[in-house]
Amino acid sequence: MSPSAAPARAHGGGATAAALLTAAHGGPALAVTAIAALLATASSLDPTTGVVVTTAVLAGQLTIGWGNDLLDAARDRAVGRTDKPLVDGRLTPRLVRGCLVAAAVGCVALSLAAGWRSAVVHLVLGVGGGHAYNLGMKATAFSWLPYAAAFGALPAVVSLAGPDPAAPAWWTVAAAAALGVGAHFLNTLPDLDDDERTGVRGLPHRIGATASRGVATALLVGASLATVLGPVDTPSWGWAVLVVVGALGVVTLLGRGKAPFAAAVAIALVDVVVLAVVVG
């Protein structure tokens, strides 16, 4: 038997669903969906449109995650990624491709149901950006660009939905884009060595782990500044948020062990919550 083609294992429906979520990069997919849900809840969208937009974003994220694992299956085998369902045989490529197609159809239909303006932004920048990353941009110095486009598009996907579309405030786009690019640098750090061995050299790989951590910190703190200082009326509690973010930024840059990554994730969570609050 070829080592690059592990046999599919027999699993129950629950185990298969869990494996599909893993192959879809469930954590990041649900995080992006949660951001969309928070923005939709905080905005003036009616509940039905909010659910449609959020579900469209989830469907799009599923296609990106499954597309990534399908394209990277050979590379994942080469570096021994036995945590990947397509590598250890928990899923077959045929099943994942079928799920990807179904999610893509649902994504297009739901996006259009939210309004054509929102659909264009979501499908071109959000979903298109994610697949552009998978198809090759992740191995270039512009690996950050799809993240900037996809995350930066989220406020517009929400604000342009429904019967009364409106352009998002500039600072919401800037904050979301900075958050997305910062997440790119953070997400890449644990896999730098494996990526290098298989020829994937995005911007984080080119500048190294230390510089990447610094860039991620600067971007996440920048997102905090945009959300607090961007609105016409800076919320009174915003200054306290910036103090907390500044302290977490110091830990991210100077801490040891797992503390820097945990602090960076904390900044990102603060950014998401504050963005949703100030949008509302």
Side-chain angles (χ1 to χ4, degrees):
M1 179 186 300
S2 169
S4 62
R9 301 175 185 173
H11 289 286
T16 299
L20 283 169
L21 184 60
T22 299
H25 299 214
L30 293 176
V32 174
T33 304
I35 295 174
L38 286 171
L39 291 174
T41 301
S43 71
S44 58
L45 288 182
D46 65 86
T48 300
T49 303
V51 170
V52 170
V53 168
T54 301
T55 310
V57 170
L58 174 59
Q61 290 300 306
L62 291 176
T63 71
I64 294 168
W66 285 326
N68 179 277
D69 267 24
L70 284 167
L71 289 169
D72 282 357
R75 187 176 70 86
D76 290 337
R77 292 188 189 97
V79 297
R81 291 293 303 271
T82 55
D83 58 316
K84 295 283 191 175
L86 282 170
V87 173
D88 69 6
R90 281 177 287 164
L91 297 175
T92 65
R94 181 179 180 180
L95 174 61
V96 176
R97 281 194 295 267
C99 291
L100 190 159
V101 171
V105 172
C107 177
V108 172
L110 289 163
S111 296
L112 290 172
W116 70 266
R117 297 173 182 84
S118 175
V120 169
V121 173
H122 181 222
L123 296 175
V124 174
L125 295 179
V127 181
H131 285 290
Y133 178 84
N134 290 343
L135 290 168
M137 287 194 73
K138 66 181 179 182
T140 74
F142 296 98
S143 60
W144 56 273
L145 186 56
Y147 278 82
F151 275 76
L154 280 175
V157 171
V158 172
S159 68
L160 292 173
D164 300 308
W170 69 267
W171 53 268
T172 64
V173 176
L179 179 62
V181 179
H184 167 51
F185 279 89
L186 283 179
N187 190 52
T188 306
L189 287 175
D191 298 323
L192 284 177
D193 293 338
D194 286 348
D195 289 342
E196 288 275 9
R197 292 208 308 268
T198 54
V200 175
R201 297 192 71 246
L203 185 58
H205 309 82
R206 295 166 191 256
I207 66 176
T210 301
S212 291
R213 186 165 67 172
V215 170
T217 303
L219 287 165
L220 294 175
V221 171
S224 302
L225 289 169
T227 55
V228 170
L229 303 179
V232 175
D233 296 317
T234 299
S236 58
W237 45 263
W239 304 107
V241 169
L242 292 181
V243 170
V244 172
V245 167
L248 290 170
V250 171
V251 175
T252 303
L253 290 174
L254 304 179
R256 297 182 178 181
K258 297 181 179 180
F261 187 82
V265 172
I267 297 174
L269 291 174
V270 170
D271 289 343
V272 170
V273 173
V274 174
L275 181 61
V277 170
V278 295
V279 165

